[in-house]
Amino acid sequence: MKEAPAAPRRVVLGIDDLRPLPRATRIARTSREGIQLLEEHRDSFIDELWLDHDLGGDDTIMPVVTLMEEAAFNGRPFRIGDVFVHSANPIGAETVVRSLTRWGYRVQRATA
């Protein structure tokens, strides 16, 4: 008897300097690592993307947001099911939600 094909593994990416994000299949701890992580998944579907605004020191998620905005502006947005913004910085989180929503990404505030 043939085995049923395995269900495709969900891709859940997180960009956060501190939280463990147990649902994530991969985690980046800086904006630079986050950009690399998204670029690695450029041509695949990302089920969930978890974003923290403040990434330690002067680093924030904004370079990643800019990458996503530019991709959408150029007609090639990243294929992401849901983007969750989980930040203790309410102003930063709202900026991310507004920016990405404007470009057609499905974004919501969440608690990690």
Side-chain angles (χ1 to χ4, degrees):
M1 211 171 156
K2 259 184 152 176
E3 283 187 36
R9 184 170 175 224
R10 289 178 48 83
V11 176
V12 180
L13 305 180
I15 305 172
D16 189 307
D17 61 324
L18 299 172
R19 291 175 188 86
L21 302 175
R23 292 172 47 153
T25 52
R26 300 264 314 273
I27 298 176
R29 298 297 183 187
T30 66
S31 61
R32 170 181 242 143
E33 290 176 7
I35 288 170
Q36 290 172 334
L37 189 59
L38 278 181
E39 291 292 0
E40 288 173 24
H41 290 82
R42 186 65 185 101
D43 297 318
S44 59
F45 181 77
I46 300 165
D47 294 284
E48 295 178 16
L49 177 63
W50 289 78
L51 304 176
D52 182 19
H53 183 272
D54 301 320
L55 299 175
D58 292 334
D59 195 15
T60 71
I61 200 64
M62 293 315 292
V64 174
V65 171
T66 299
L67 173 73
M68 294 172 67
E69 289 175 312
E70 288 174 352
F73 175 80
N74 291 321
R76 250 189 107 215
F78 286 88
R79 296 181 313 136
I80 303 170
D82 293 293
V83 179
F84 297 98
V85 181
H86 61 273
S87 179
N89 177 337
I91 294 171
E94 189 54 36
T95 299
V96 173
V97 170
R98 264 197 325 272
S99 298
L100 294 179
T101 299
R102 178 182 317 129
W103 289 102
Y105 294 100
R106 287 188 356 196
V107 188
Q108 58 187 296
R109 285 289 309 268
T111 53

